[in-house]
């Protein structure tokens, strides 16, 4: 494929309700969309960086800068045999996985469309239906949280993840567990604790949680290895895993028993598949995390979740939970059994609502390859 043009847009989208984690509250999202044109075929990707550098160091602004000044000059006008080849063209740029993933995933969409297959198939996915869970933000009190959990379970969701932080943990988890003794329940601390909290964290063992996500610092694989030895519940890592070498280190050190794969965090489908394969070889289950994506990022998450080692319900849920009006057609829908049927059309299998995208766009930049002599 020859990359003819890249369009970068920033959209302003408002979540239906605010989402609170240990690092703050989000409602207004700045969504960066990447549209790539190659050989006359259009593909879409989403940058999943957040507005502030609280989840990882990337932000919507750093991704804009990296894509504009360092990725597009290395890509526009280039001829690639496959989407997976992009990595070698941008390897000089260290880190900034979310910026890279936004572009790379658009190339995967193009490659699948060119081959006239669903992206899930091109990636090697085998599932035609994926299992869904929800990630619930921190609530004011345990009663409100139980109410929210009840509503999500009635929609069919198969696993509930609760955000926790010091002071908003034990009593909240206890209330949900008391009401629902048998559901698949996990918690996500987004790095809000330290090793000194080990006795406090150990108290969570009594709730029979499926897993505890990223309790310690975002870059501390070794600390998680120490904690996992002292706690019964399975730890799993989110923030700490930016590529498959981190996954390898985490597995060998015993820092976790499960890994959450996020496309943006690891740099796109090529590296996500490596993390998946490595975990599969070590019998470490994976599941797909979420970053409050628009429909474009969500569609990529659905495709990735069809790989065979995605054995636990992910944080991939219905468009309607996030947006009054998502930017893809059809929107991502979840069945009464808490599953998403994987689209069978070419590429991501959903159509981007261009008119709505233009309406929501607050910033736009376009790069075009020079026309080839003799073309
Ligand atoms: O840690 O998984 C996380 C959202 C923003 C940043 C980090 C995380 C999250 C979520 C939301 O948990 C998952 C979703 O998209 O519903
Ligand atoms: Mg997380």
């Amino acid at each position: 494929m020859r990359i003819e043009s890249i369009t970068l847009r920033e959209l302003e989208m408002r979540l239906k309700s605010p989402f609170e984690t240990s690092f703050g509250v989000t409602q207004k999202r700045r969504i960066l969309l990447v549209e790539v044109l190659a050989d006359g075929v259009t593909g879409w990707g989403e940058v999943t960086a957040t507005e502030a550098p609280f989840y990882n160091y990337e932000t919507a602004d750093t991704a804009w800068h990296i894509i504009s000044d360092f990725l597009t000059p290395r890509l526009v006008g280039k001829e690639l045999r496959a989407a997976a080849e992009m990595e070698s063209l941008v390897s000089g740029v260290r880190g900034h996985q979310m910026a890279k993933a936004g572009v790379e995933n658009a190339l995967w969409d193009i490659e699948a469309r060119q081959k006239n297959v669903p992206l899930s198939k091109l990636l090697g996915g085998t599932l035609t239906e994926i299992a869904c869970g929800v990630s619930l933000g921190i609530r004011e009190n345990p009663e409100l949280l139980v109410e929210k959990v009840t509503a999500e379970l009635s929609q069919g969701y198969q696993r509930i993840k609760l955000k926790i932080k010091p002071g908003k943990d034990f009593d909240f988890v206890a209330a949900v567990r008391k009401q629902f003794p048998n559901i698949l329940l996990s918690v996500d601390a987004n790095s809000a604790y330290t090793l000194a909290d080990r006795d406090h964290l150990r108290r969570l063992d009594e709730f029979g949680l499926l897993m505890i996500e990223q309790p310690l610092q975002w870059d501390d694989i070794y600390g998680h290895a120490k904690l996992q030895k002292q706690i019964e519940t399975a730890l799993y890592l989110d923030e700490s895993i930016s590529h498959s070498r981190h996954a390898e280190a985490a597995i060998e050190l015993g820092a976790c028993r499960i890994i959450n794969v996020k496309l943006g965090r690891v740099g796109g489908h090529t590296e996500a598949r490596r993390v998946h394969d490595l975990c599969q070889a070590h019998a470490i289950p994976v599941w797909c995390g979420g970053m409050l994506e628009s429909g474009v990022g969500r569609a990529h998450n659905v495709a990735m979740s069809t790989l065979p080692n995605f054995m636990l319900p992910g944080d991939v849920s219905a468009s309607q939970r996030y947006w009054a009006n998502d930017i893809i057609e059809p929107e991502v829908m979840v069945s009464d059994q808490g599953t998403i049927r994987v689209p069978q059309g070419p590429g991501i299998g959903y159509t981007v609502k261009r008119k709505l995208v233009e309406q929501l766009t607050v910033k736009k930049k376009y790069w075009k390859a020079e026309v080839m002599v003799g073309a």
Side-chain angles (χ1 to χ4, degrees), residues 43-108:
W44 292 88
E46 175 170 340
V47 174
T48 60
T50 55
E51 292 66 35
F54 302 156
Y55 166 80
N56 61 1
Y57 61 78
E58 294 189 78
T59 67
D61 287 320
T62 68
W64 186 278
H65 164 53
I66 294 294
I67 292 173
S68 299
D69 297 339
F70 298 103
L71 303 186
T72 55
R74 286 167 170 78
L75 294 170
V76 175
K78 293 282 160 54
E79 176 74 42
L80 278 72
R81 271 166 300 176
E85 222 177 78
M86 174 181 141
E87 212 175 41
S88 63
L89 296 176
V90 301
S91 62
V93 178
R94 293 191 180 172
H96 296 282
Q97 282 87 354
M98 290 174 164
K100 290 173 180 170
V103 183
E104 194 199 278
N105 292 346
L107 298 181
W108 277 96

Side-chain angles (χ1 to χ4, degrees), residues 9-15 17-21 23-33 46-64 98 291-294 323 362-363:
R9 291 181 179 82
E10 178 177 328
L11 278 58
E12 192 180 297
M13 290 179 74
R14 198 177 161 79
L15 290 166
S17 44
F19 189 80
E20 181 173 349
T21 65
F23 50 72
V25 183
T26 307
Q27 182 149 28
K28 209 162 86 179
R29 297 261 16 245
R30 296 174 61 190
I31 303 270
L32 300 195
L33 288 188
E46 175 170 340
V47 174
T48 60
T50 55
E51 292 66 35
F54 302 156
Y55 166 80
N56 61 1
Y57 61 78
E58 294 189 78
T59 67
D61 287 320
T62 68
W64 186 278
M98 290 174 164
M291 289 298 294
L292 311 173
E293 288 93 344
S294 82
W323 316 109
V362 292
K363 211 165 139 188

